[in-house]
């Protein structure tokens, strides 16, 4: 039977032969992937019934199991529809015919039966934004869910945030505490209803309740404690609706008056205030201790978004997807307070993704700051009592509810070009199938659809310390955790440990090996070593930038036995060989091995960690490295940059560099960006968050590019001079030397541009173009000595969309295939994936 768009072309059910005929088959089908909690069983029931099939479908620990009786043509039609799955939240990764035999008898109907237990092998669906049908129910005064902030169905609502165990059934979620009323139970039991087996299904009469409290109300520290058992409420539906609507109305009034409200959502708390109120935004920054880092805004709909940012059809698709991420879009139109995203050309925008958000936005009718409910660098609050304790000094009021959050999960963040920056709510923990060569086909594979692939070793990769995620690899798939955060805070470390334990239990994984970053002082490395010691299993250290490249290789499905690629890692800092600090690296590598064949010429970082916080130190170190400091400081002594530097303790810093006192050298691309940014007057004294100086430099380049026409005509700018050289002392394989990109020639020309009063934006644009041009030149040189057919870019600097665009244009004529990260972060958020793949490859 040919695959069709609809079921109208299926074989007529009246053609099914009577029970016992020789042409009736009994077929058992296994479906794997994200197929639980997404309406997949009712979908199978509907299709199977339409095709006249008999049998059953159920969830189990491996996914969905179907037993179907019918003609071979009708069974094949069912398989074709499973392959062409159109459910919004389902992701079918495998359809396997386990058995297929002639049938002696045939059931009377096709039914949905209870889940089976066993070793968990299926994936967990990510939390999904409110679907149009549920939004309509919530806003319809005639609907029994009118004004209900927890309306959901199988197409939307909480999933990963409320699950405690697999299979994904209500008893294994935080909704176990709420007993459904008769009306909700009827929906839950009806396969034709879109709320059939929607585990969070509820209504005002029986589900979670919202309430409001002022921050100073000490008599109501936790007015509706989260309970382990909540029976159907002793109140009328009308009373429940009034309470929910009243709570949202009071929160809206606080916001409209310039206040800050802490709101409990799906995966954690948010802090919300009026995004059009400069004073409210500044008050939030001071209380949250988040002084300059950009704040995202929530808008009511696409029409409101278009008032403040450039919004193409592609951007609208991202904003309205089930993941409902924060999308970084270029500012335009009506101006908002500059302190929302100071020094930035873009603004993070998201749409309401729960009924609660929709109802709140209906009340305020203006954009709201929607930032994580925590003090800077702490994990997001998820518990009512904890939030009231920790956020009381920030929020003026609280909007709380009594549905427990099991798994903390932040909002996902995506660039305007669709590149994932932070992989969290809506995207995690969706698994990634391992590339060819890491797995073997199971026995009995008979369909043309990718089956579940079997890997032999379970691996835990612990990730890095910044933007941490961890990765579990087993049964042919890699499960990358949601964004955890930076591990230098004790509270985040504790949450990290809890999440590892929870997800190992959730997915039934006991690792047989632990992969860690080679940096011995990372909290993530120490945690991995401690767990390995407890489990008596080996540890596999993995070089930081090799993991960066392997993550992109894995994302794009590059096979295990693929010839070596040229990996280009543009990063802040990573622990390299012999304790060196790397960050601008050219690696000839596959999944198992990595050979460093090129780099940015190392420059001192005077003060060590201080150089990462005070960009002027990097500027001075770069100028000193030219060997022309005395000449340059004299020739340009009247320039503001030199006057600024001369007020710094340069003699002390120079002595530190010359004697190697707390001044490690690094090839870091990130520190080069800091140096150029400080030269242009950006964040010279201090950057208050990671990458601030580089982000402002990018903004200058983008603005000038747009205004000058460089975006359309790259000939309008010539690159700064640079040099290709060989490292003085380091050798690689054989007699070959380590190639270097030498930035010393750049600095006199850049200083001359400053002296000639060139626009800072032009200099920033010229620097970005130079960087792309120089990388291309070194790649051409390396190609003469090494054989590689693909180029793989990764590292945190590749979050810079402007640089990425320059690289794409410069490499447009190359014969090698060029890969960038897209679905996985280019930053350290995907390090764990690379670690897991490298560890698995070395075991293979």
């Amino acid at each position: 039977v040919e695959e069709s768009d609809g079921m109208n072309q299926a074989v007529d059910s009246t053609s099914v032969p009577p029970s016992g005929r020789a042409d009736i088959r009994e077929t058992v089908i296994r479906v794997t992937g994200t197929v639980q909690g997404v309406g997949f069983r009712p979908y199978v029931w509907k299709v199977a019934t339409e095709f006249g099939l008999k049998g059953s479908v159920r969830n189990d620990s491996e996914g969905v199991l179907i037993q179907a009786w019918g003609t071979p043509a009708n069974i094949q039609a069912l398989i074709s529809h499973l392959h062409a799955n159109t459910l919004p939240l389902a992701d079918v990764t495998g359809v396997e015919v386990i058995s297929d035999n002639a049938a002696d008898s045939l059931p009377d109907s096709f039914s949905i039966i209870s889940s089976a237990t066993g070793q968990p092998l299926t994936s967990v669906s990510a939390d999904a934004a409110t679907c149009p049908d549920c939004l309509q129910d919530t806003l319809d005064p005639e609907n029994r869910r009118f004004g209900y902030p927890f309306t959901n169905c199988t197409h939307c609502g909480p999933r990963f945030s409320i699950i405690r165990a697999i299979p994904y059934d209500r008893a294994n979620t935080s909704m176990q505490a709420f007993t459904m009323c008769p009306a909700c139970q009827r929906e839950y039991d009806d396969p034709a209803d879109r709320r059939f087996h929607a585990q969070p299904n509820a209504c005002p009469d029986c589900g979670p309740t919202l309430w409001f409290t002022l921050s100073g109300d000490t008599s109501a520290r936790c007015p509706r404690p989260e309970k382990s058992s909540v029976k159907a409420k002793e109140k009328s539906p009308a009373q429940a609706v009034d309470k929910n609507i009243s709570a949202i109305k009071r929160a809206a009034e606080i916001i409209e008056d310039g206040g800050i409200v802490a709101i409990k959502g799906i995966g954690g708390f948010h802090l919300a205030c009026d995004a059009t109120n400069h004073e409210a935004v500044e008050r939030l920054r001071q209380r949250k201790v988040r002084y300059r880092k950009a704040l995202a805004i929530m808008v009511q709909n696409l029409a409101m978004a278009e008032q403040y940012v450039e919004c193409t059809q592609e951007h609208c698709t991202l904003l309205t997807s089930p993941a409902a991420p924060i999308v970084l879009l270029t500012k335009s139109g009506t101006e908002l307070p500059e302190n929302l995203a100071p020094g930035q050309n873009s603004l993070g925008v998201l749409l309401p993704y729960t009924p609660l958000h929709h109802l709140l936005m209906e009340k305020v009718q203006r954009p709201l700051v929607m930032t994580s409910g925590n003090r800077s660098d702490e994990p997001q609050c998820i518990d009512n009592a904890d939030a009231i304790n920790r956020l009381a000094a920030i929020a003026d009021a609280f909007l709380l509810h009594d549905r427990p959050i099991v798994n903390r999960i932040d909002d996902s963040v995506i660039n305007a070009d669709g590149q994932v920056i932070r992989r969290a709510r809506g995207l995690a923990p969706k698994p990634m199938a391992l590339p060819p060569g890491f797995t073997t086909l199971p026995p009995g594979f008979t369909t043309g659809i990718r089956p579940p692939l079997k890997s032999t070793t379970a691996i835990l990769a612990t990730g890095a310390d910044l933007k941490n995620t961890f990765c579990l690899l087993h049964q042919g798939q890699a499960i990358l955790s949601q964004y955890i955060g930076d591990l230098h805070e004790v509270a985040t470390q504790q949450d990290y440990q809890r999440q590892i334990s929870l997800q190992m239990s959730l997915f039934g994984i006991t690792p047989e090996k632990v992969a860690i970053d080679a940096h011995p002082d990372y909290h993530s490395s120490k945690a991995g070593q401690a767990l390995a010691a407890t489990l008596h299993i080996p540890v596999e250290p993995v070089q930081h930038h090799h993991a960066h490249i392997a993550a992109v290789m894995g994302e794009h499905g590059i096979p295990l036995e693929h010839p070596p690629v040229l990996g280009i890692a543009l990063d802040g800092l990573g622990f390299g060989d012999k304790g060196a600090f790397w960050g601008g690296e050219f690696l000839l590598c596959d999944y198992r091995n990595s050979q460093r064949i090129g780099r940015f010429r190392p420059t001192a970082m005077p003060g060590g960690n201080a150089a990462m916080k005070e960009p002027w130190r990097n500027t001075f170190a770069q100028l000193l490295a030219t060997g022309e400091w005395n000449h340059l400081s004299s020739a340009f002594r009247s320039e503001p940059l030199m006057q600024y530097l001369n007020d710094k303790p340069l003699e002390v810093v120079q002595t530190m560099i010359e004697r190697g006192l707390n001044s490690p050298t690094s090839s870091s691309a990130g520190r080069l960006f800091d140096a150029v940014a400080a030269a242009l007057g950006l964040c010279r004294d201090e950057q208050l968050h990671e990458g601030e100086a580089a982000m402002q430099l990018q903004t200058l380049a983008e603005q000038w590019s747009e205004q000058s026409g460089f975006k359309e005509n790259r000939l309008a700018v010539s690159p700064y001079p640079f040099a290709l050289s060989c490292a003085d002392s380091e050798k690689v394989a054989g007699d070959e030397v380590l190639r270097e990109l030498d930035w010393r020639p750049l600095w006199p020309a850049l200083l001359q541009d400053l002296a000639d009063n060139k626009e800072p934006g032009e200099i920033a644009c010229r620097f970005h173009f130079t960087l792309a041009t120089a990388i291309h030149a070194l790649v051409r040189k390396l190609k003469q000595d090494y054989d590689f057919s693909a180029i793989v870019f990764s590292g945190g600097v590749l979050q810079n969309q402007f640089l990425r665009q320059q690289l794409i244009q410069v490499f447009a004529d190359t014969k090698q295939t060029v890969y960038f990260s897209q679905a996985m972060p280019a930053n350290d958020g995907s390090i764990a994936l690379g670690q897991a793949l490298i560890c698995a490859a070395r075991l293979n």
Side-chain angles (χ1 to χ4, degrees):
V1 176
E2 293 295 328
E3 193 174 317
S4 63
D5 292 332
M7 290 181 288
N8 57 324
Q9 297 182 30
V11 178
D12 194 313
S13 62
T14 59
S15 66
V16 177
S19 175
R21 287 269 299 274
D23 52 353
I24 291 291
R25 309 293 295 177
E26 177 189 354
T27 306
V28 179
I29 304 166
R30 156 80 57 223
V31 186
T32 55
T34 306
V35 290
Q36 292 189 15
V38 294
F40 201 81
R41 284 182 299 170
Y43 172 74
V44 172
W45 173 84
K46 181 180 179 183
V47 175
T49 302
E50 186 75 17
F51 290 163
L53 298 173
K54 312 298 181 184
S56 65
V57 58
R58 70 180 182 185
N59 287 340
D60 67 6
S61 59
E62 294 189 50
V64 165
L65 188 68
I66 303 166
Q67 289 180 278
W69 281 260
T71 65
N74 281 4
I75 289 173
Q76 185 57 49
L78 171 63
I79 291 172
S80 295
H81 274 75
L82 298 177
H83 181 30
N85 155 59
T86 57
L87 291 176
L89 303 184
D91 181 19
V92 174
T93 59
V95 177
E96 178 186 0
V97 174
I98 294 176
S99 64
D100 181 38
N101 302 298
D104 294 329
S105 60
L106 157 97
D108 294 331
S109 63
F110 196 93
S111 60
I112 298 173
I113 59 178
S114 300
S115 301
T117 58
Q119 178 74 5
L121 298 176
T122 189
S123 61
V124 177
S125 175
D127 300 277
T130 306
C131 70
D133 289 335
C134 282
L135 179 57
Q136 183 176 347
D137 290 348
T138 306
L139 301 180
D140 181 4
E142 302 301 318
N143 192 284
R144 72 187 188 93
R145 289 187 171 85
F146 172 64
Y148 188 54
F150 307 99
T151 304
N152 69 88
C153 69
T154 53
H155 300 154
C156 67
R159 297 291 190 279
F160 175 68
S161 60
I162 63 171
I163 191 171
R164 292 192 174 101
I166 290 176
Y168 176 67
D169 286 332
R170 194 176 181 100
N172 290 330
T173 73
S174 58
M175 287 300 295
Q176 179 190 22
F178 300 90
T179 302
M180 283 184 282
C181 66
C184 286
Q185 190 69 53
R186 282 193 296 272
E187 295 169 335
Y188 186 88
D189 293 335
D190 182 1
D193 195 289
R194 80 173 196 276
R195 293 190 170 94
F196 175 76
H197 280 225
Q199 306 307 337
N201 188 35
C203 73
D205 195 32
C206 64
T209 297
L210 195 69
W211 70 95
F212 173 91
T213 184
L214 292 171
S215 182
D217 187 358
T218 55
S219 64
R221 298 293 289 170
C222 195
R224 274 295 304 271
E226 295 164 343
K227 299 178 181 179
S228 59
S229 178
V230 181
K231 300 300 181 182
K233 309 290 190 299
E234 295 181 359
K235 61 183 181 297
S236 71
Q239 290 174 322
V241 169
D242 289 345
K243 183 172 183 177
N244 288 315
I245 292 177
S246 174
I248 292 171
K249 181 180 178 182
R250 292 190 66 190
E253 290 169 351
I254 294 289
I255 290 170
E256 289 168 345
D257 288 342
I260 300 166
V261 177
I263 302 171
K264 185 179 182 182
I266 277 188
F269 275 77
H270 280 112
L271 292 165
C273 72
D274 182 355
T276 67
N277 185 328
H278 180 278
E279 290 73 22
V281 174
E282 195 58 35
R283 192 157 47 248
L284 173 60
R285 284 195 174 281
Q286 295 301 318
R287 293 181 185 179
K288 185 176 162 70
V289 193
R290 181 171 173 155
Y291 299 118
R292 291 202 296 257
K293 195 173 184 179
L295 297 167
I297 65 168
M298 178 175 283
V299 293
Q300 185 175 1
N301 47 40
L302 292 175
M304 184 179 286
E306 290 169 351
Q307 295 177 35
Y308 303 105
V309 293
E310 294 179 4
C311 202
T312 66
Q313 184 57 53
E314 290 76 14
H315 300 150
C316 292
T317 299
L318 288 172
L319 287 166
T320 57
S321 68
I326 296 170
V327 184
L328 304 180
L329 300 174
T330 303
K331 298 175 184 176
S332 69
T334 305
E335 288 190 12
L336 288 167
E338 174 59 23
N339 61 349
L340 282 173
Q344 300 298 305
N345 197 38
S346 61
L347 185 64
V349 177
L350 78 162
L351 294 179
Y353 58 86
T354 71
L356 188 159
H357 292 124
H358 281 286
L359 292 166
L360 179 62
M361 296 303 294
E362 281 280 319
K363 295 292 184 186
V364 297
Q365 297 281 308
R366 68 188 73 176
L368 299 182
V369 168
M370 199 64 68
T371 188
S372 57
N374 57 352
R375 282 173 61 88
S376 285
D377 298 327
E378 293 181 356
Q380 189 179 24
C381 294
I382 62 172
D383 173 77
N384 289 340
D386 179 52
I388 288 174
N389 287 329
R390 286 207 284 145
L391 302 182
I394 303 176
D396 300 303
F398 291 84
L399 198 54
L400 305 169
H401 63 74
D402 54 356
R403 182 178 66 202
I405 298 171
V406 179
N407 297 305
R408 176 184 287 106
I409 189 158
D410 292 82
D411 294 321
S412 291
V413 181
I414 297 181
N415 260 340
D417 64 358
Q419 178 194 13
V420 172
I421 302 297
R422 185 167 75 195
R423 188 174 180 273
R425 179 188 51 75
L427 300 176
K430 181 180 178 182
M432 184 194 84
L434 298 185
F438 282 91
T439 52
T440 57
L441 292 173
F445 172 53
T446 59
T447 73
I449 302 167
R450 186 176 66 190
L453 301 175
K454 310 297 182 184
S455 57
T456 56
T457 304
I459 294 170
L460 166 67
T462 60
D465 267 17
L466 296 181
K467 299 177 177 60
N468 177 270
T469 63
F470 59 88
C471 184
L472 294 166
L473 188 150
H474 81 142
Q475 297 300 329
Q477 60 185 10
I479 304 170
L480 189 65
S481 79
Q482 75 274 30
Y483 167 87
I484 302 295
D486 297 348
L487 298 185
H488 53 263
E489 287 288 334
V490 173
T492 309
Q493 293 171 30
Q494 293 171 342
D495 183 54
Y496 168 69
Q497 297 274 13
R498 189 185 75 85
Q499 281 293 326
I500 289 177
S501 298
L502 188 147
Q503 292 193 37
M504 282 169 51
S505 173
L506 182 64
F507 296 109
I509 299 173
T510 301
E512 301 165 69
K513 195 160 188 177
V514 177
I516 63 172
D517 192 285
H519 198 304
D521 294 327
Y522 271 2
H523 296 290
S524 57
S525 299
K526 293 177 179 178
Q529 290 169 332
L531 179 61
T534 300
L535 298 176
H536 305 289
I537 57 177
V539 173
E540 182 74 31
V542 176
Q543 199 278 321
H544 189 88
H545 299 103
H546 187 195
H548 264 304
I549 302 303
V552 180
M553 293 170 66
E555 176 190 340
H556 290 281
I558 294 178
L560 173 62
E561 301 303 337
H562 190 279
V565 304
L566 177 65
I568 302 176
L570 305 178
D571 203 19
L573 282 181
F575 199 73
D577 294 342
K578 301 176 183 178
F581 292 110
W582 293 3
E585 313 307 321
F586 295 74
L587 308 174
L588 189 68
C589 59
D590 53 25
Y591 286 108
R592 296 187 183 92
N593 304 297
S594 174
Q595 176 187 344
R596 190 191 197 201
I597 59 176
R599 67 179 180 185
F600 286 10
R601 187 178 189 276
T603 305
M605 292 172 50
N609 286 337
M612 293 189 285
K613 297 177 181 178
E614 301 174 18
W616 70 266
R617 293 174 177 268
N618 300 289
T619 309
F620 177 62
Q622 290 281 347
L623 294 173
L624 193 63
T626 65
E628 302 179 49
W629 167 246
N630 290 334
H631 167 70
L632 294 173
S633 60
S634 174
F636 297 102
R637 60 181 176 272
S638 61
E639 293 305 311
L641 171 60
M642 289 302 176
Q643 294 176 4
Y644 169 87
L645 288 175
N646 285 329
D647 287 336
K648 297 296 181 182
L650 297 187
E651 290 185 7
V652 174
V653 175
Q654 185 171 352
T655 300
M656 290 172 59
I657 293 173
E658 291 173 349
R659 297 182 180 179
L661 301 174
N662 192 26
S663 298
T665 60
S666 171
S667 52
S668 168
R671 301 294 77 79
L672 177 63
F673 268 85
D674 289 348
V676 174
L680 298 187
L682 305 174
C683 303
R684 277 178 175 165
D685 284 317
E686 182 182 22
Q687 50 183 343
L688 297 182
H689 60 85
E690 185 196 10
E692 181 182 13
M695 292 165 70
Q696 292 192 18
L697 188 68
Q698 174 189 342
T699 295
L700 279 181
E702 288 173 337
Q703 291 174 341
W704 188 85
S705 172
E706 194 72 36
Q707 296 163 4
S708 67
F710 173 79
K711 188 175 182 181
E712 290 76 28
N713 178 21
R714 287 168 47 241
L715 296 177
V717 165
S718 60
Y720 284 115
F722 59 88
L724 298 180
S725 59
C726 299
D728 296 332
S729 59
E730 295 191 45
K731 298 281 186 179
V732 290
D735 296 326
E736 296 160 349
V737 295
L738 187 64
R739 300 285 180 184
E740 285 187 336
L741 266 179
D742 189 344
W743 303 111
R744 289 178 293 183
L746 173 149
W747 287 97
L750 189 148
L751 291 177
Q752 188 60 56
D753 273 357
L754 287 171
D756 293 341
N757 294 317
K758 294 286 182 67
E759 290 185 45
E762 180 178 356
I763 298 173
C765 183
R766 192 178 178 191
F767 167 70
H768 281 78
F769 182 51
T770 302
L771 194 58
T773 303
I775 289 170
H776 186 250
L778 181 53
V779 169
R780 289 202 311 269
K781 189 70 174 177
L782 293 172
K783 185 60 179 172
Q784 297 173 8
D785 301 323
Y786 300 95
D787 184 25
F788 50 86
S789 60
I791 301 168
V792 178
F793 283 95
S794 190
V797 172
L798 270 301
Q799 294 175 132
N800 182 324
Q801 288 186 86
F802 189 72
L803 174 61
R804 180 167 156 147
Q805 290 161 3
Q806 300 311 306
L807 288 167
I808 290 171
Q809 291 175 338
V810 166
F811 279 89
D813 60 352
T814 186
K815 295 180 180 178
Q816 290 82 40
T817 306
V818 180
Y819 296 98
F820 291 88
S821 60
Q822 189 71 13
M824 299 291 176
N827 58 44
D828 285 4
S830 64
I831 283 285
L833 173 61
Q835 292 171 347
L837 291 169
I838 291 168
C839 184
R842 290 173 179 172
L843 287 169
N844 193 296

